[in-house]
Amino acid sequence: MARSISMEAAGLTLAFLILILTISAASSTNQIQILNAERRIDLSSHIVKVFLTLKVENVMTAPASEIVLAFPPAQADHLALVKAQAAIGKKKKKSYVHLDVNPTELPDAPNGTKYFSISLLNPLSSGETATLEVLYILTHSLKPFPAEISQSESQLVYFRDSALILSPYHVKQQTTFLKTPSTKVESFTRVEPTKFAGRELKYGPYEDRPPYSFSPVTVHLENNSPFAVVEELLREVEISHWGNIQITEHYKLVHAGARHKGVFSRVEYQSRPSFSGTSSFKHLLASLPPRVHSVYYRDDIGNISSSHLRSDYRKSELEIEPRYPLFGGWKATFVIGYGLPLEDFLFESPDGKRYLNFSFGCPLAETVVDKLTIKVVLPEGSKDPSAAVPFPVEQHLETKYSYLDVVGRTVLVLEKKNVVPEHITPFQVYYTFKPIFMLAEPLMLASKGLMMQLSSDGSGSHDPLPGQPSMLSLNSSACPCSPN
Amino acid sequence: MAVTKTEPINGSTNKPSSSSVSMKSDLMSTLSLKSLKLKTKQQELLIRVSILCLVYVLAFITRLFSVLRYESMIHEFDPYFNYRTTLFLTEKGFYEFWNWFDSESWYPLGRIIGGTLYPGLMVTAAIMYWGLRFLRFAVHIREVCVLTAPFFASNTTLVAYFFGKEIWDTGAGLVAAVLIAICPGYISRSVAGSYDNEGVAIFALLLTFYLFVKAVNTGSLAWGLGSALGYFYMVSAWGGYVFIINLIPLYVLVLLITGRYSMRLYVAYNSMYVLGMLLAMQIRFVGFQHVQSGEHMAAMGVFFLMQGFYFLGWVKHLLGDKKKFEALLRIIVTCAVGVGAIALGVGTASGYISPWTGRFYSLLDPTYAKDHIPIIASVSEHQPTAWSSFMFDFHILLFLFPAGLYFCFKRLSDATIFIVMYGLTSMYFAGVMVRLILVATPAVCLISAIAVSATIKNLTTLLRTKSKVSQTGTTKGASGGKGSSKALPDQSQPFQRNGSYCIAFRCFLPAQGAHGNRVIFDDYREAYYWLRQNTPADAKVMSWWDYGYQITAMGNRTVIVDNNTWNNTHIATVGRAMSSYEDEAYEIMRSLDVNYVLVVFGGVTGYSSDDIKQVFVDGENWRWSIPFLPIETAKIVRFLVEYKLSYYRFGELVTEYGKPPGYDRARGVEIGNKDIKLEHLEEAFTTSNWIVRIYKIGGVSIALIYCLDQGSDFRNVQWIHVLDFVSSDNLSSHPTPPPSHTNTCFQQQKFKLDHIQQSCSNSTITAEGNKYYGECHEKSIRFLKPANKEASLGRETDSERWAPPPQGYALGCFWWAEIAFV
């Protein structure tokens, strides 16, 4: 027995050693070469989406299990998301498999280049090729120039990138396509062959470029899409086992495009909407879950009367209008709040824990969130909260005092920077809860004397946010925690 | 028992049993009657309590209209200031609040908030808020503020019940509670969202009166103490406490004259006055006024009179001889009157006792304000009351009031004398000023309740005696009569909805859309929020003073003037800037360090009480503030800033179908000048319905150079620091109105402001922290008028200085037509 175990251990160590060797071999960049790279950059909104299709080949003998993507440091700072998938099968039966992408370091990174490594499903053996599709999203990458425009001007922005794909590998053939929002392009750097037709600017094809080839290009183009950036978004999800989930979202919205300069003329804005204030926006669309109820839209000084809610069984759409149109640099803060039926979002896991299944990200369409904070306020008496989020987020715990609380509610706080609409994916918060605690609030209400005694020791800092609706008027008919 | 024993001897066996049966039945009937009586008493109690509960709820829910129809928000102007201060109190705590120097208003002067406001309302709301938070109700302070007024209105109904019970009977109390719950004159000032001092003050006023009457009726020190506490609350809440401190002495005087002096009265008045005065001095804004101001002297005089009366009674008792006593009396009275007069004279001459304020004069003489204090006269709620508003605010009570007076006179007692005096004096004041209808409302309700209650009682007794005589079923008629007469006060309910609720929802204007849907012109908040979000945090906004409170509260920006008409010079400067040529206005604005100018314009929506009306038409009251305006050439108006800012680029807009562009819907004319050019100002924002327009001042603001005391060297110091220094120093070292005239004189170095003539002000800060402006030298500006809207309106000694300039300019309302067609 003992011997076999030691044998096994030795085998494992060997396998591990081999693995390490493979990785180091993979990171030695001349193992892989890119046969064909096609990059499509979508500049039609202020969120830059880049679709990268790579055809890679293992030219060395050792199998390669990961492919490394390289980003210049300026781009890496604005990188919101990197996703990769591999195409499997032939043309007709093509299917895509999601691949893991993780930030990594390479020893000889020139000029602070940042790397992401894509782990392949099956290591690429010698001579084998694979096709990878990568999507990465850049925020704050369109720099308005001129930085200040007047009401009648349209917004021009710079986009800077390289005509050649930055890669640690040798690239045999590559092409880059830029999709512009309009045909109006002021100027662009020429790196022959370069072609501009319609709304597409084409760089390439370029043949046989060595690793880390770089050729900076600048495109100066018109982009009047709304540069809606939420500087801070605080989403508070308050769970009540009496049948309701209350969401309160605090927005700090800013128009991050070219700053508005000089006069704002209402008469021009009203009478010539197509020429005046083209880069400004006055509507925003928030997509909310179906069966949403008691929706409100307000700010520090009261209700904002300009919003419309359309809802059907699949989704609800809330169209909101800030109090004034947003021009470049103008800000608006507001609060959206709504209630949701508990049974749509709260479930019981097989191990007896309850979990909330809710969507991450910002409900507003086409917006970037610089800093997103999600606070999941669990019912009083909940224990052991843990979150399962598909991407890295910062987490910590807080305590909040709301209606009729004695010991306070556990709040799980999730924070993430640079959030784009692609981050709208479900996440789960698991916690344990004894049903007896459900009686806490009615008991509190009933026995006020007792409550006063108890609450005197718990009257610490408590700061519920404004406009919070009462938890007492909730529908108690819905069965809590029933999987739907 | 003896009878029953003797009767069997007589031999009849049936009789005793029958008699005993009848006895038993009698006993039974009396027993059942007794139990029935107990039951009716219980029933009566039950009905009374349930009626009171219903009235309590009714008073609350009738005031929720604006919350249900619109939203839970603060309305009007002054409530915004109160809300802002309450927010500060709850966030920063009481000491910070008490010492708050607000640099966001009255730029560059600032305002010592803690010393220039009545904190009762804010403290009340904050305590309710903290209490609710302690009980773990996670309410927002805004909700508490919005619902404070209805809550106190409900409490007022309870006080009215007890008051009515005290002066007449329970029936009158119940009717009074119902009436005060639904009286439009009171509803209009206590709707949800109208978070103003009056909301709690009426409760405090009625409570003080009730407790005082109770004290007079019982002679109990405890009730006297209660009324002193009520008075303290009233003083902390509203400047209207002056009414109490004058009415009660007047009442005592009347009782003395009518020979109703009693030990009860002595105890009640003395305990209430002494304690109330001492407590009231704890309010910083009121300070030592109880012993220094002419308005409070009557109470003190009556206090001494009471002591004299008591002393004389004692002497009379000791002497026993009538002639001796009369001789003594003569000597004492002459001496007392002489000493009193000398003391008053010396006090007044030395300035220790300040004379009556302009506001007090204007109460006694309704025409006073118009001639002497134009700013007070220009406020619509300070106008003499029109007959129609009496009708709207009192409705049927107007007719019940004389009947109630009749009943009171019929059954004179200490309590009814009080309510009669309260009713008559407050009715007089209600006639002088629209807003004082509020003070008269409780009295009118109580007296009308007496009328209703007494009439019904008479009627029912009449019907009962009739029904006893005729022995027929006229009880039905009686109950019918009762029902119909009971219905009387209730009938007033549907009518009042017209007038009362709509006291200026000035934050947004609901209107009817083209398709019959409700459109809300939310332009004010749009503009305020724009200011809040998109201007630098230290931007100074100049606007007509009406909007000052809202801009600071909702826009969170510094304003030059606000609704606290604290310093007329400043308001006049703004008024002048608005009605100057652009060049001149620009200089004034620069000198005031203004960054943005906000004007309210109703030409697109047809909202007529906009700035154009305020500045030019109401400005007529202010003609001393714009003395240079040669209005006879109305063409000039076109070049004045207010006009230009309102109508800038308006000529390009078609406001109404079938009308030429630039058609002003508020005034119904096409504007004369459609090509307005601005030199120094640029349009920064205009709201979607053009109601609020904001302009930005071009160029850099110049630093003001101030001098502390004339003759000393110029120092580049901040106004606020200067003021801070002055105020803290004076407040601590001179409790009396100090002779420390700090000539805070500011001069513009770069610009020669001919028409402002170096607005020097000789400012004095009194112990209360109020700032009063004294005389300027030479022929300088006329507007030396200081004031504090809420309380003491400058203590001017020389009414000459208040006078409008000799050269009166005819700024007629007809200028509209001229603008349009010249």
Side-chain angles (χ1 to χ4, degrees):
Chain A
M1 271 310 259
R3 203 175 140 198
S4 72
I5 285 172
S6 68
M7 283 280 282
E8 259 182 42
L12 270 175
T13 339
L14 198 69
F16 195 64
L17 271 174
I18 290 170
L19 196 72
I20 288 169
L21 280 174
T22 340
I23 288 167
S24 58
S27 56
S28 67
T29 51
N30 44 14
Q31 187 191 11
I32 300 272
Q33 96 172 337
I34 296 173
L35 293 178
N36 189 15
E38 185 189 278
R39 186 168 56 152
R40 293 186 174 272
I41 302 173
D42 183 2
L43 299 176
S44 54
S45 84
H46 68 125
I47 303 172
V48 178
K49 293 176 192 142
V50 185
F51 301 93
L52 190 63
T53 312
L54 301 172
K55 197 172 179 193
V56 292
E57 183 188 15
N58 190 353
V59 288
M60 303 292 261
T61 47
S65 63
E66 61 180 21
I67 307 292
V68 176
L69 299 174
F71 293 97
Q75 250 182 26
D77 292 343
H78 295 142
L79 204 60
L81 181 85
V82 186
K83 268 183 176 175
Q85 56 189 14
I88 292 177
K90 295 285 174 236
K91 273 180 187 171
K92 282 282 162 83
K93 293 187 217 158
K94 220 174 194 177
S95 65
Y96 291 99
V97 183
H98 177 80
L99 300 175
D100 282 343
V101 183
N102 290 308
T104 179
E105 300 272 325
L106 287 189
D108 52 347
N111 296 331
T113 311
K114 297 280 187 313
Y115 297 96
F116 283 84
S117 74
I118 304 170
S119 321
L120 296 176
L121 281 181
N122 309 307
L124 216 55
S125 51
S126 178
E128 205 176 346
T129 62
T131 308
L132 299 177
E133 298 205 347
V134 180
L135 164 70
Y136 61 89
I137 292 174
L138 300 168
T139 57
H140 299 288
S141 295
L142 297 178
K143 291 279 167 281
F145 187 85
E148 287 191 338
I149 54 170
S150 69
Q151 192 181 344
S152 55
E153 291 173 274
S154 70
Q155 181 171 269
L156 298 171
V157 293
Y158 273 139
F159 176 70
R160 291 169 215 271
D161 204 345
S162 161
L164 302 169
I165 297 165
L166 187 72
S167 176
Y169 308 123
H170 184 90
V171 187
K172 281 194 107 170
Q173 194 188 32
Q174 58 178 311
T175 328
T176 295
F177 299 94
L178 276 87
K179 191 179 153 205
T180 61
S182 69
T183 52
K184 215 178 140 192
V185 172
E186 291 285 303
S187 66
F188 55 88
T189 315
R190 287 189 169 273
V191 183
E192 290 305 334
T194 305
K195 201 176 113 193
F196 178 59
R199 290 172 55 198
E200 196 174 72
L201 179 64
K202 183 180 174 190
Y203 284 101
Y206 306 107
E207 311 277 342
D208 279 326
R209 299 289 163 153
Y212 298 111
S213 305
F214 200 74
S215 163
V217 292
T218 303
V219 186
H220 193 203
L221 65 148
E222 184 192 59
N223 188 337
N224 282 323
S225 70
F227 276 45
V229 173
V230 181
E231 287 182 326
E232 268 183 70
L233 170 59
L234 171 66
R235 300 183 82 194
E236 202 173 55
V237 183
E238 196 164 330
I239 302 167
S240 162
H241 280 183
W242 291 92
N244 192 55
I245 293 184
Q246 181 65 35
I247 322 284
T248 318
E249 296 171 347
H250 298 259
Y251 290 88
K252 263 191 195 169
L253 184 74
V254 66
H255 186 301
R259 295 186 63 81
H260 177 70
K261 173 179 76 178
V263 180
F264 165 70
S265 170
R266 177 66 74 170
V267 74
E268 292 203 351
Y269 185 74
Q270 275 176 344
S271 55
R272 287 181 283 274
S274 53
F275 300 104
S276 173
T278 43
S279 67
S280 71
F281 60 92
K282 60 178 182 180
H283 299 282
L284 287 166
L285 197 69
S287 48
L288 307 178
R291 304 223 283 155
V292 66
H293 65 87
S294 352
V295 182
Y296 63 84
Y297 169 47
R298 56 170 299 142
D299 59 20
D300 302 342
I301 61 170
N303 180 47
I304 308 172
S305 49
S306 46
S307 63
H308 307 279
L309 180 71
R310 289 180 293 267
S311 65
D312 56 36
Y313 65 96
R314 275 178 292 121
K315 63 175 190 306
S316 306
E317 276 186 343
L318 178 70
E319 192 188 57
I320 56 173
E321 237 177 85
R323 289 191 187 271
Y324 40 84
L326 281 166
F327 279 80
W330 288 12
K331 290 176 182 171
T333 57
F334 52 89
V335 180
I336 297 176
Y338 47 93
L340 291 167
L342 186 74
E343 64 266 28
D344 292 3
F345 297 94
L346 195 71
F347 309 103
E348 198 160 356
S349 65
D351 59 349
K353 277 192 161 190
R354 285 145 213 259
Y355 70 95
L356 171 85
N357 189 27
F358 202 70
S359 77
F360 200 85
C362 165
L364 291 183
E366 284 292 302
T367 45
V368 173
V369 182
D370 287 348
K371 187 182 173 214
L372 170 69
T373 311
I374 297 185
K375 291 189 174 181
V376 181
V377 183
L378 301 173
E380 205 175 16
S382 307
K383 289 203 171 70
D384 316 321
S386 64
V389 190
F391 29 78
V393 289
E394 282 178 42
Q395 295 184 19
H396 64 269
L397 290 178
E398 277 178 7
T399 309
K400 181 195 164 172
Y401 292 90
S402 185
Y403 285 91
L404 302 171
D405 285 354
V406 179
V407 292
R409 306 182 185 201
T410 312
V411 184
L412 182 71
V413 186
L414 307 173
E415 281 177 17
K416 177 155 176 62
K417 294 210 163 87
N418 216 355
V419 178
V420 289
E422 277 71 13
H423 281 115
I424 302 179
T425 47
F427 73 100
Q428 291 81 33
V429 175
Y430 293 87
Y431 62 96
T432 53
F433 181 79
K434 290 202 182 86
I436 192 77
F437 277 104
M438 274 184 68
L439 296 174
E441 277 168 19
L443 277 178
M444 278 308 107
L445 201 59
S447 56
K448 281 224 162 176
L450 184 71
M451 184 186 68
M452 280 179 68
Q453 274 189 341
L454 287 175
S455 60
S456 59
D457 58 69
S459 60
S461 70
H462 37 76
D463 185 28
L465 296 148
Q468 201 146 359
S470 165
M471 282 288 130
L472 302 173
S473 59
L474 301 178
N475 164 27
S476 59
S477 64
C479 168
C481 314
S482 60
N484 217 7
Chain B
M1 281 300 274
V3 181
T4 45
K5 265 187 181 172
T6 50
E7 264 177 349
I9 304 166
N10 289 346
S12 64
T13 46
N14 262 347
K15 261 189 180 173
S17 63
S18 71
S19 73
S20 68
V21 164
S22 69
M23 280 283 291
K24 265 184 186 170
S25 69
D26 266 19
L27 225 123
M28 283 291 282
S29 68
T30 49
L31 260 175
S32 65
L33 246 168
K34 255 185 188 169
S35 62
L36 201 78
K37 251 186 191 166
L38 219 72
K39 255 187 184 168
T40 47
K41 233 178 198 176
Q42 282 173 332
Q43 274 178 344
E44 198 263 334
L45 186 74
L46 186 74
I47 290 174
R48 208 187 329 152
V49 169
S50 50
I51 287 178
L52 272 182
C53 288
L54 286 176
V55 168
Y56 195 86
V57 173
L58 175 76
F60 194 78
I61 57 175
T62 41
R63 285 161 172 83
L64 293 184
F65 178 75
S66 70
V67 170
L68 300 180
R69 186 93 175 88
Y70 304 106
E71 58 178 288
S72 166
M73 71 173 291
I74 310 278
H75 295 290
E76 294 179 67
F77 302 114
D78 286 14
Y80 266 99
F81 170 75
N82 299 331
Y83 173 58
R84 180 168 160 246
T85 46
T86 313
L87 203 65
F88 188 90
L89 173 61
T90 52
E91 280 170 0
K92 302 264 172 79
F94 190 72
Y95 286 101
E96 284 279 308
F97 172 71
W98 209 229
N99 296 319
W100 183 15
F101 181 83
D102 176 24
S103 55
E104 279 203 358
S105 54
W106 291 99
Y107 185 84
L109 305 167
R111 178 179 172 187
I112 307 153
I113 297 280
T116 58
L117 94 173
Y118 292 100
L121 178 73
M122 297 88 192
V123 172
T124 308
I127 286 173
M128 288 199 290
Y129 172 70
W130 287 325
L132 286 170
R133 294 304 291 254
F134 180 72
L135 294 175
R136 289 285 181 267
F137 288 98
V139 290
H140 190 253
I141 181 67
R142 186 188 55 244
E143 319 293 346
V144 177
C145 291
V146 165
L147 296 179
T148 297
F151 174 63
F152 271 87
S154 291
N155 295 340
T156 310
T157 61
L158 292 187
V159 178
Y161 164 73
F162 286 113
F163 202 0
K165 197 178 156 192
E166 191 63 32
I167 54 174
W168 200 259
D169 56 14
T170 22
L174 281 181
V175 179
V178 174
L179 289 178
I180 210 154
I182 58 171
C183 183
Y186 185 33
I187 290 184
S188 64
R189 285 319 195 103
S190 58
V191 286
S194 148
Y195 177 57
D196 213 344
N197 290 335
E198 289 93 327
V200 297
I202 290 303
F203 166 75
L205 179 94
L206 210 57
L207 185 71
T208 312
F209 284 156
Y210 162 63
L211 292 172
F212 183 70
V213 168
K214 189 93 185 168
V216 170
N217 278 350
T218 57
S220 144
L221 206 57
W223 290 113
L225 176 70
S227 97
L229 289 174
Y231 177 66
F232 172 58
Y233 188 50
M234 177 69 189
V235 173
S236 76
W238 195 34
Y241 76 88
V242 178
F243 180 64
I244 298 183
I245 203 64
N246 282 298
L247 177 65
I248 286 182
L250 191 66
Y251 164 67
V252 171
L253 201 66
V254 166
L255 286 192
L256 288 185
I257 290 167
T258 51
R260 284 174 168 271
Y261 170 77
S262 63
M263 205 56 206
R264 291 177 285 117
L265 184 69
Y266 183 81
V267 169
Y269 183 72
N270 287 326
S271 59
M272 187 267 164
Y273 176 68
V274 173
L275 278 171
M277 180 175 74
L278 288 175
L279 286 170
M281 284 182 185
Q282 312 309 312
I283 305 296
R284 239 166 93 197
F285 192 28
V286 177
F288 289 98
Q289 284 186 31
H290 276 80
V291 289
Q292 286 180 353
S293 131
E295 291 156 10
H296 302 74
M297 282 302 125
M300 190 181 265
V302 169
F303 174 68
F304 286 124
L305 193 68
M306 289 280 277
Q307 311 312 319
F309 222 81
Y310 187 73
F311 175 72
L312 283 179
W314 181 61
V315 168
K316 193 178 175 185
H317 174 74
L318 279 188
L319 281 177
D321 186 5
K322 219 173 183 188
K323 273 198 175 165
K324 265 187 192 169
F325 173 69
E326 272 173 9
L328 187 76
L329 185 68
R330 225 166 285 148
I331 296 166
I332 287 179
V333 165
T334 29
C335 281
V337 168
V339 167
I342 289 168
L344 201 70
V346 167
T348 316
S350 64
Y352 184 77
I353 297 173
S354 61
W356 290 353
T357 59
R359 180 169 294 208
F360 205 70
Y361 275 122
S362 67
L363 277 179
L364 299 178
D365 171 15
T367 56
Y368 179 84
K370 198 151 202 179
D371 296 339
H372 299 276
I373 329 169
I375 190 161
I376 286 197
S378 77
V379 176
S380 60
E381 63 180 17
H382 293 159
Q383 302 295 326
T385 316
W387 176 240
S388 59
S389 49
F390 272 116
M391 269 314 287
F392 276 127
D393 283 358
F394 291 140
H395 208 256
I396 192 126
L397 303 185
L398 210 54
F399 304 107
L400 292 173
F401 180 66
L405 284 182
Y406 165 74
F407 282 113
C408 287
F409 275 113
K410 245 181 108 181
R411 202 176 99 182
L412 271 184
S413 67
D414 288 357
T416 46
I417 289 179
F418 181 83
I419 195 70
V420 165
M421 295 205 50
Y422 175 25
L424 290 178
T425 48
S426 63
M427 267 310 236
Y428 169 74
F429 290 131
V432 174
M433 248 189 214
V434 178
R435 74 190 291 209
L436 291 182
I437 277 192
L438 180 69
V439 176
T441 307
V444 172
C445 286
L446 281 163
I447 291 174
S448 306
I450 289 171
V452 171
S453 172
T455 313
I456 291 174
K457 215 166 212 175
N458 285 350
L459 198 68
T460 45
T461 45
L462 207 69
L463 288 170
R464 253 183 215 159
T465 48
K466 251 189 191 173
S467 66
K468 267 186 186 168
V469 169
S470 60
Q471 295 277 345
T472 49
T474 43
T475 41
K476 261 186 187 174
S479 65
K482 203 173 177 180
S484 65
S485 49
K486 265 270 163 75
L488 266 181
D490 294 340
Q491 274 170 5
S492 64
Q493 213 181 342
F495 291 99
Q496 66 192 322
R497 297 197 184 273
N498 309 327
S500 58
Y501 295 120
C502 318
I503 282 275
F505 293 123
R506 291 294 282 273
C507 301
F508 51 83
L509 312 160
Q512 204 86 349
H515 308 290
N517 53 335
R518 191 154 58 98
V519 178
I520 289 176
F521 292 160
D522 208 354
D523 285 39
Y524 283 105
R525 284 194 288 180
E526 182 181 342
Y528 297 147
Y529 214 63
W530 184 86
L531 276 175
R532 186 187 185 115
Q533 298 280 326
N534 299 315
T535 55
D538 61 345
K540 286 101 195 166
V541 182
M542 186 173 98
S543 72
W544 194 241
W545 56 283
D546 290 23
Y547 310 104
Y549 278 165
Q550 291 188 345
I551 293 172
T552 39
M554 289 200 265
N556 198 18
R557 290 293 174 268
T558 307
V559 292
I560 306 297
V561 290
D562 67 25
N563 308 49
N564 176 291
T565 47
W566 174 67
N567 175 342
N568 283 17
T569 319
H570 227 49
I571 293 183
T573 312
V574 170
R576 170 179 294 207
M578 290 294 202
S579 48
S580 304
Y581 301 116
E582 198 184 340
D583 289 343
E584 292 161 352
Y586 179 64
E587 287 173 10
I588 300 175
M589 289 167 188
R590 292 275 296 261
S591 71
L592 286 171
D593 208 10
V594 172
N595 305 105
Y596 291 90
V597 183
L598 183 145
V599 292
V600 171
F601 170 60
V604 178
T605 47
Y607 170 58
S608 63
S609 60
D610 58 0
D611 276 4
I612 291 182
K613 178 177 171 285
Q614 306 256 24
V615 174
F616 293 127
V617 181
D618 291 350
E620 200 221 350
N621 296 324
W622 286 71
R623 53 192 183 274
W624 41 271
S625 74
I626 34 175
F628 70 98
L629 183 66
I631 196 63
E632 57 270 5
T633 53
K635 281 179 191 171
I636 301 296
V637 169
R638 293 169 165 198
F639 302 102
L640 301 183
V641 166
E642 180 59 52
Y643 180 90
K644 284 172 94 172
L645 296 188
S646 289
Y647 288 123
Y648 179 65
R649 299 200 71 174
F650 181 66
E652 299 166 39
L653 190 77
V654 178
T655 53
E656 207 167 315
Y657 184 72
K659 291 280 197 281
Y663 178 76
D664 185 332
R665 293 174 70 186
R667 267 127 325 232
V669 286
E670 186 186 346
I671 57 165
N673 185 3
K674 289 186 185 173
D675 184 32
I676 295 170
K677 295 265 189 303
L678 291 173
E679 286 171 54
H680 305 290
L681 297 148
E682 61 180 31
E683 188 179 2
F685 187 71
T686 298
T687 57
S688 48
N689 298 303
W690 292 57
I691 290 177
V692 184
R693 311 194 70 182
I694 300 170
Y695 291 84
K696 192 172 189 237
I697 314 257
V700 268
S701 54
I702 52 158
L704 291 176
I705 296 172
Y706 308 102
C707 57
L708 201 65
D709 281 319
Q710 268 170 325
S712 74
D713 51 349
F714 288 104
R715 271 182 272 170
N716 204 348
V717 281
Q718 284 286 317
W719 247 119
I720 290 157
H721 294 163
V722 173
L723 249 172
D724 233 343
F725 161 70
V726 170
S727 59
S728 59
D729 223 60
N730 284 344
L731 276 171
S732 54
S733 58
H734 304 283
T736 52
S740 61
H741 298 284
T742 320
N743 282 326
T744 34
C745 165
F746 64 94
Q747 299 187 340
Q748 276 67 42
Q749 284 218 312
K750 285 189 185 164
F751 302 106
K752 258 193 1 205
L753 302 179
D754 305 330
H755 50 273
I756 286 199
Q757 292 157 332
Q758 289 188 352
S759 60
C760 280
S761 44
N762 192 343
S763 67
T764 307
I765 295 189
T766 64
E768 301 87 63
N770 299 344
K771 199 166 181 335
Y772 301 114
Y773 281 73
E775 194 162 16
C776 239
H777 28 188
E778 295 177 326
K779 50 182 178 152
S780 69
I781 39 167
R782 292 270 163 197
F783 31 93
L784 301 166
K785 217 54 221 228
N788 215 311
K789 189 184 173 193
E790 281 302 320
S792 29
L793 224 191
R795 298 176 182 168
E796 73 288 349
T797 43
D798 182 6
S799 61
E800 280 303 299
R801 267 186 271 135
W802 286 78
Q807 65 275 48
Y809 295 104
L811 220 165
C813 299
F814 53 85
W815 70 276
W816 270 114
E818 289 172 330
I819 297 171
F821 301 113
V822 290

